[in-house]
Amino acid sequence: MGSGPREEFDNPVVEWIDSRMPIFTMLQKEYGVFPTPKNFNWFWNFGAIAMFMLMTMIVTGIFLAMHYTANTELAFDSVERITRDVNGGWLLRNIHMNGASFFFIAVYIHIFRGMYYGSYKRPRELLWILGVVIFLLMMATAFIGYVLPWGQMSLWGATVITNLFSAIPFVGEDIRTLLWGGFAVDNPTLTRFFALHYLLPFVIFAVVFLHVWALHVTGSNNPLGIDVKGPQDTLPFNPYYTMKDIFGLILFIIVYAFFVFYAPDSLGHPDNYTPANPLVTPPHIVPEWYFLPFYAILRAITFNFNIYMLAGVALLAVFMVEFIWRHSPKYLGKSAGIALLVIGGALALFGLLAGFNQHWTIPFTDMPIPLTSAETSPISAKLGGVLAMFGSIGLLVILPWLDNHPIRSARFRPLFRIFVIVFTFSVFVLGYAGSQPADRVYWSTCIGDAQACEVLAHGAGHGAAAHHEADAGAEPLVLKFDNTMLAQAFTGVYFLFFLIILPLLSRFEKGRELPTSIHEAVLAKKQKAGA
């Protein structure tokens, strides 16, 4: 028999079913006696919490779809009808609307736990990659769902994000037209988005099944980051971790319920409670909060990538692969590495400055420096922003190969722990930057004549400014730090963490001594607590 030997169940109905289709035996093996490390902390609750939120979103979404109308003339009113007229509709909508935010909260904590404790390392690379795929599908589903209420932010968010695809060379316009179903965001777009929003959660569920399957093949990581040595290091999943997961889930639901019942609109944008109007553009278009870090990275690229920048970046990439990612250089010597670093850095910096100063000329001539204008730049700022945004997520896919340090857990890697905290802080700052207007100024100062600075500060008329400039003989210099600069700085920190810091730590960081086994570490902790 393909099912192999199994134990009989006392319940006759369960035994009758299991003898013909051993689903209860599978559940018993995978979720009952399945051995799990005995030192899980509360971070390990968020995988189960994320699964609960996925099921909540699917169930509430099915019922909401029964009353929703995917038509630009009726969508907003159908959502209002669900909230005001359908029995229990307000509750379903509040659960679903706030559930998206709490689903992302659970997943972001789950991702942080995986990064902090090295759960992406061998032999769990595929497990991690499947998790990133789930994250990407969640982002797509959430963005499409944000469009369905057809408020102002729904319409204009869809317009901005779908327009990004037009930056892709050769096929971008076709992709955008395919998404729109026409030549603008309109009724065909809403119909397609509704169909995809209904479909994608089931795709997510299928990938979650693969994710859990991969987990049960490789086994769970643990806070110490060391492998299980024997039965003394493990506990059966049930009842120990089922009870712990249920307790953590109850605490999570209490917070979730507070937002559902007492602050249901606090996580949304006020403009989305106004019907969509293609003739009125909101003053500040922003996505939902869980997209804000990536939105900040998208807006941080305000410069075109000219040929000098691309040449410099290519040389720096060769240097990075050969001298940072590898534990020892394979093809190039030390002198070649220095040359790559100096020439590549100089070209990249020159290309960046020339892009901002397109009126530069060749010294001793009036000829402009060639190949620095927007028209001659192979990668526009728009395409560069799209590549940076998707690249920031793509880095998570290759994370197991960027960080190949033999120690998994940050508990035993002091430098890695510091940089993970800095990286997490940078994500929060990027989220804040994404929520603010790009031109918001945080700090500014004027260097030069005091009266000229006064004129600039109070926005005096052009005539007065010109008259004073003629008297002073020089225009004052204004230095400022705005939101775009903030986003650019922390976008640099984000990419620096993955591309430079992690490979260097893999080569040079010396971790602390690891415990002999999970069992001994748990006993030592109990003895220390008892003392």
Side-chain angles (χ1 to χ4, degrees):
M1 292 176 60
S3 60
R6 63 179 189 86
E7 295 182 3
E8 293 186 1
F9 289 88
D10 295 333
N11 188 299
V13 177
V14 171
E15 172 60 24
W16 186 87
I17 295 172
D18 197 73
S19 62
R20 290 156 178 80
M21 185 175 62
I23 185 172
F24 295 102
T25 297
M26 183 197 72
L27 292 174
Q28 174 67 7
K29 289 181 178 180
E30 298 299 330
Y31 293 99
V33 298
F34 181 74
T36 49
K38 61 168 59 176
N39 61 335
F40 279 173
N41 58 30
W42 292 104
F43 275 118
W44 264 259
N45 284 62
F46 286 92
I49 291 172
M51 176 68 82
F52 170 81
M53 291 308 304
L54 174 61
M55 298 306 301
T56 301
M57 297 299 288
I58 289 175
V59 172
T60 55
I62 289 172
F63 284 103
L64 288 172
M66 296 176 184
H67 300 277
Y68 176 76
T69 304
N71 184 286
T72 54
E73 299 294 328
L74 303 171
F76 187 87
D77 290 335
S78 73
V79 173
E80 289 298 305
R81 177 179 175 273
I82 290 170
T83 305
R84 301 173 187 274
D85 297 335
V86 175
N87 290 333
W90 65 272
L91 181 59
L92 283 173
R93 188 187 175 214
N94 288 351
I95 290 174
H96 194 79
M97 182 173 58
N98 290 279
S101 292
F102 277 82
F103 193 7
F104 272 94
I105 289 171
V107 169
Y108 277 132
I109 295 174
H110 194 57
I111 292 173
F112 171 80
R113 187 266 294 171
M115 292 182 64
Y116 189 83
Y117 293 110
S119 298
Y120 50 84
K121 294 188 177 183
R122 178 183 176 89
R124 300 178 181 87
E125 300 95 333
L126 183 58
L127 171 66
W128 174 262
I129 292 171
L130 288 170
V132 177
V133 171
I134 294 169
F135 181 52
L136 284 169
L137 290 170
M138 281 178 58
M139 294 179 76
T141 307
F143 161 68
I144 293 170
Y146 190 50
V147 176
L148 298 186
W150 207 242
Q152 272 289 74
M153 207 55 65
S154 298
L155 169 63
W156 290 100
T159 303
V160 169
I161 299 303
T162 52
N163 263 310
L164 296 177
F165 289 95
S166 65
I168 301 173
F170 307 115
V171 298
E173 295 288 345
D174 294 333
I175 294 175
R176 184 182 65 178
T177 303
L178 178 66
L179 289 171
W180 283 354
F183 301 101
V185 176
D186 208 336
N187 202 56
T189 315
L190 187 62
T191 305
R192 294 176 184 208
F193 278 21
F194 176 60
L196 288 173
H197 189 67
Y198 199 96
L199 170 67
L200 286 178
F202 298 99
V203 178
I204 293 174
F205 186 83
V207 183
V208 167
F209 175 79
L210 297 177
H211 185 65
V212 175
W213 186 3
L215 172 67
H216 283 230
V217 171
T218 60
S220 297
N221 189 29
N222 61 86
L224 298 177
I226 59 178
D227 294 327
V228 171
K229 301 295 192 303
Q232 71 278 4
D233 292 339
T234 64
L235 292 171
F237 186 82
N238 184 58
Y240 297 99
Y241 288 118
T242 50
M243 291 296 104
K244 189 171 185 178
D245 284 346
I246 289 172
F247 180 74
L249 179 61
I250 291 172
L251 297 180
F252 186 84
I253 289 175
I254 290 172
V255 180
Y256 178 27
F258 171 82
F259 281 87
V260 169
F261 292 103
Y262 296 103
D265 301 318
S266 60
L267 298 176
H269 196 283
D271 283 356
N272 221 35
Y273 295 91
T274 303
N277 186 350
L279 302 180
V280 178
T281 306
H284 180 41
I285 300 173
V286 291
E288 289 283 65
W289 68 265
Y290 36 78
F291 293 142
L292 289 175
F294 306 104
Y295 185 59
I297 292 173
L298 170 71
R299 294 193 308 178
I301 308 302
T302 58
F303 47 86
N304 299 304
F305 289 77
N306 54 51
I307 195 68
Y308 304 105
M309 285 185 64
L310 292 177
V313 169
L315 293 177
L316 291 175
V318 173
F319 171 83
M320 188 166 55
V321 171
E322 186 71 5
F323 293 93
I324 296 180
W325 290 12
R326 289 197 174 106
H327 284 276
S328 60
K330 187 176 181 180
Y331 299 107
L332 300 176
K334 184 177 180 180
S335 57
I338 295 174
L340 283 174
L341 183 61
V342 172
I343 297 173
L347 281 173
L349 181 61
F350 172 78
L352 179 64
L353 294 177
F356 282 114
N357 299 274
Q358 295 179 10
H359 299 293
W360 278 4
T361 58
I362 299 174
F364 309 110
T365 72
D366 292 329
M367 298 175 58
I369 295 176
L371 305 177
T372 60
S373 65
E375 293 76 14
T376 57
S377 298
I379 298 180
S380 65
K382 183 178 180 181
L383 178 57
V386 173
L387 293 174
M389 181 180 68
F390 285 107
S392 65
I393 304 171
L395 287 174
L396 294 173
V397 177
I398 61 172
L399 179 58
W401 293 275
L402 294 175
D403 177 19
N404 51 23
H405 196 281
I407 297 176
R408 296 192 185 108
S409 177
R411 285 188 178 183
F412 305 97
R413 297 178 60 187
L415 290 177
F416 175 73
R417 181 192 304 173
I418 293 171
F419 283 114
V420 167
I421 294 172
V422 171
F423 166 77
T424 306
F425 175 74
S426 73
V427 172
F428 279 101
V429 175
L430 284 171
Y432 174 77
S435 69
Q436 301 301 309
D439 57 354
R440 177 179 177 181
V441 177
Y442 297 108
W443 171 85
S444 66
T445 187
C446 182
I447 301 175
D449 183 80
Q451 292 184 6
C453 290
E454 186 77 13
V455 170
L456 290 175
H458 292 86
H462 293 290
H467 176 72
H468 184 80
E469 183 180 343
D471 293 340
E475 185 177 352
L477 176 65
V478 178
L479 301 177
K480 65 178 181 178
F481 183 76
D482 59 20
N483 194 59
T484 297
M485 295 177 182
L486 179 69
Q488 289 170 343
F490 281 90
T491 296
V493 173
Y494 184 100
F495 282 93
L496 190 70
F497 172 78
F498 284 104
L499 298 176
I500 304 296
I501 293 174
L502 286 183
L504 286 177
L505 290 178
S506 298
R507 290 180 61 183
F508 299 113
E509 184 180 15
K510 293 182 179 179
R512 289 159 43 197
E513 185 179 356
L514 294 173
T516 305
S517 69
I518 296 173
H519 178 67
E520 291 184 5
V522 170
L523 287 180
K525 184 177 180 180
K526 288 183 177 179
Q527 291 173 357
K528 184 177 179 180

